[in-house]
Amino acid sequence: MIDTLRLTAYEAAKLLRERQITGAELWEAYRRAIDERDGELHCFLHVCDDPGGDGLPLAVKDVIGTKGIPTTAGSKILEGYVPVYDATVVRKAKEEHGLRVLGKTNTDEFAMGSSTENSAYGPSRNPWDPTRVPGGSGGGSAAAVSAGLTPWALGSDTGGSIKQPSALCGNVGLRPTYGTVSRYGAVAFASSLDQIGPVAKTVTDCAFLYSVIAGRDACDSTTVELPEAIRMPERVDLKGLRIGIPTEFTEHDAIQPGIRDLVHRTIELARELGAEVGECSLPLSLDYGLPCYYLIAPAEASSNLARYDGVRYGRRSASADRLEMYTRTRDEGFGDEPKRRILIGTYALSAGYYDAYYGQAQKVRTMLIREHAAAFEQFDVLLTPTSPTVAFELGAKTADPMAMYVNDLLTIPSCMAGLPGLNVPAGLVDGLPVGVQLIGPQFSENRLFETGYALEQAIGFDFVPERYR
Ligand code: GLN
């Protein structure tokens, strides 16, 4: 029997290599797990047939285009859309590593949200407690990994959509340095922020999946070659590493007390592993990160979402004339959150307000970049909580968009600065996973994996949700 709840991608690859299991058996095991548990969790919007071969299965967030496989971005406006080509990340996974797309995972509509409750196809649920959300927008990917429905998954992160769900579901998730992973073939939300990245059970699996998808792509001019190859982490100590603790992030009022304690315990552990730990300060990031993001991201979204007009992709609402067809398609096809952001973004970009809002937000963004750069003159890695709270009950924040936005308070600033961030599970509070976020300078993924690996080994977090053990 293959225990998909415990099996890591690394171990599965080894079993396949040693011919202890076949590719078909492995696929079958995940399909069985999906049949058993996804009725309750709703991680998948689409499950694929086995394309054959011996590669590992891979779940793909539904904002990433997959040839011949429906891609909806969690939106009714893309219902029925089947891409004619693979996103570069999917092509690389298939062609260069033989990975097989297992299915498409649920997401907040156009990746706008923090709980998957904005998905037009209904929310996903947290495998640790199905009355609670798995986080978002990539809650489907994160929940699928922790419920053993896939060895690993691809997510996308604009302001926290890999890091935050990974924290709430007890996964390791990387938001890569902006520009290291191709966005070609991904549904665009906010192009200066969007990055595709891996979600996995362990740091090693996460590092491996990152090495599969990273690198320059001629189809995405914002990509660059990695300055160094991705190494599988091995060291179990942190000697010589300087870790900075931005106190505004660890001591903020919005942070649940139990999470604060666990973060302090993790900091203590890092010290015991040999790291030099010191305090630092990122005051602008915390005060202006969120408001700045909620101008820039909607501004870019309003422009990116203009392409959904009933002509080029997916849904078209019937009507007598063309203008009415456009407007009805958009009115009926988009849910409340994309509409809210299109309105905010269009307003912020309008001629009379451009300088006051969008222009000003860009200046603030530069200040956030500088503030992080200054911290990295003294420290190699910054450590903060990933999410201010553990997974919350379904429905708890749906009536109040502002309450929902605050989930991303801690993940957004480094995204604005284009920096990589790794979520590593730190333990449980009230039986629910808590993650720490490790932030490094651009292209410091190897260092983040090494730091995360040493912590992971010392923490010994059991990634199988208690109710499945
Ligand atoms: N929750 C944030 C938002 O709603 C971030 C989403 C994301 O990273 N895609 O915009």
Side-chain angles (χ1 to χ4, degrees):
M1 254 315 256
I2 300 169
D3 179 5
T4 61
L5 283 161
R6 287 243 165 254
L7 190 69
T8 64
Y10 178 85
E11 291 160 353
K14 187 158 173 284
L15 291 176
L16 284 170
R17 222 174 23 246
E18 294 171 352
R19 296 181 190 276
Q20 300 196 42
I21 54 171
T22 66
E25 282 165 356
L26 191 66
W27 184 276
E28 230 351 85
Y30 287 105
R31 280 302 301 258
R32 240 191 336 265
I34 292 171
D35 288 346
E36 245 168 62
R37 296 191 277 277
D38 206 38
E40 176 180 51
L41 300 175
H42 193 228
C43 302
F44 284 92
L45 294 178
H46 181 87
V47 183
C48 303
D49 291 328
D50 186 358
D54 261 350
L56 289 175
L58 173 70
V60 178
K61 186 179 179 185
D62 209 23
V63 295
I64 301 170
T66 40
K67 183 177 177 176
I69 304 170
T71 300
T72 68
S75 181
K76 289 282 181 212
I77 210 164
L78 277 173
E79 199 164 26
Y81 169 59
V82 181
V84 292
Y85 67 99
D86 277 322
T88 295
V89 289
V90 173
R91 183 184 58 72
K92 283 168 82 109
K94 282 160 66 170
E95 285 175 11
E96 296 170 17
H97 297 270
L99 302 190
R100 293 174 283 168
V101 177
L102 178 60
K104 304 299 295 289
T105 55
N106 198 11
T107 167
D108 285 296
E109 188 172 357
F110 288 102
M112 297 170 178
S114 305
S115 68
T116 75
E117 290 166 298
N118 291 338
S119 167
Y121 302 95
S124 300
R125 288 168 182 270
N126 192 311
W128 292 80
D129 175 353
T131 66
R132 292 170 189 267
V133 302
S137 62
S141 281
V145 170
S146 57
L149 311 187
T150 180
W152 49 17
L154 292 180
S156 71
D157 192 298
T158 303
S161 281
I162 290 175
K163 298 185 282 184
Q164 184 258 14
S166 295
L168 270 44
C169 291
N171 303 319
V172 178
L174 173 76
R175 174 201 165 82
T177 302
Y178 184 82
T180 60
V181 179
S182 172
R183 289 177 291 111
Y184 181 69
V187 175
F189 163 10
S191 307
S192 76
L193 290 151
D194 298 343
Q195 276 295 279
I196 294 170
V199 183
K201 288 181 171 128
T202 66
V203 175
T204 301
D205 284 2
C206 186
F208 187 72
L209 189 51
Y210 178 58
S211 75
V212 168
I213 60 174
R216 204 187 103 74
D217 177 17
C219 297
D220 177 352
S221 61
T222 62
T223 55
V224 289
E225 211 49 77
L226 296 185
E228 54 179 16
I230 297 306
R231 300 182 294 268
M232 292 308 115
E234 283 171 358
R235 264 179 61 180
V236 291
D237 67 75
L238 293 175
K239 290 198 186 84
L241 187 82
R242 299 167 305 167
I243 301 184
I245 311 295
T247 41
E248 300 88 357
F249 283 61
T250 44
E251 308 312 321
H252 196 276
D253 282 349
I255 296 166
Q256 207 178 310
I259 293 187
R260 205 173 303 160
D261 296 343
L262 198 50
V263 169
H264 284 296
R265 283 225 298 280
T266 312
I267 294 169
E268 231 10 81
L269 196 61
R271 263 204 196 96
E272 287 164 22
L273 294 172
E276 269 173 53
V277 183
E279 287 187 358
C280 67
S281 182
L282 298 171
L284 296 175
S285 291
L286 214 61
D287 287 347
Y288 300 116
L290 205 65
C292 181
Y293 172 89
Y294 277 101
L295 278 167
I296 289 175
E300 293 184 16
S302 71
S303 159
N304 275 326
L305 268 49
R307 74 190 65 174
Y308 304 104
D309 54 9
V311 177
R312 283 165 284 196
Y313 309 89
R315 178 196 178 101
R316 172 180 301 175
S317 300
S319 64
D321 72 84
R322 199 163 50 220
L323 188 61
E324 195 192 309
M325 187 278 284
Y326 295 150
T327 49
R328 279 190 52 191
T329 298
R330 289 170 69 80
D331 181 33
E332 293 167 6
F334 286 129
D336 287 349
E337 191 61 29
K339 280 180 185 159
R340 188 176 293 130
R341 299 203 191 191
I342 290 168
L343 288 173
I344 295 172
T346 307
Y347 182 81
L349 289 177
S350 59
Y353 293 103
Y354 185 95
D355 287 338
Y357 292 113
Y358 188 73
Q360 197 67 10
Q362 291 291 21
K363 289 179 194 157
V364 174
R365 186 173 189 179
T366 301
M367 291 166 79
L368 302 186
I369 294 170
R370 290 194 187 136
E371 184 169 88
H372 280 83
F376 288 122
E377 282 171 13
Q378 284 181 54
F379 296 103
D380 303 309
V381 169
L382 306 180
L383 187 154
T384 81
T386 305
S387 162
T389 68
V390 294
F392 45 93
E393 302 272 342
L394 270 100
K397 302 186 183 180
T398 38
D400 180 0
M402 287 307 287
M404 195 63 95
Y405 295 172
V406 171
N407 289 299
D408 304 306
L409 184 69
L410 310 173
T411 50
I412 276 180
S414 56
C415 297
M416 298 293 291
L419 303 174
L422 182 73
N423 177 74
V424 180
L428 301 176
V429 166
D430 303 331
L432 295 165
V434 169
V436 292
Q437 167 179 237
L438 303 172
I439 301 165
Q442 286 179 305
F443 309 112
S444 66
E445 275 81 355
N446 276 325
R447 192 188 297 160
L448 295 183
F449 292 137
E450 278 160 18
T451 312
Y453 182 79
L455 286 173
E456 176 184 58
Q457 301 309 306
I459 292 167
F461 179 77
D462 185 349
F463 50 70
V464 178
E466 277 169 339
R467 52 198 284 272
Y468 298 138
R469 286 181 203 158

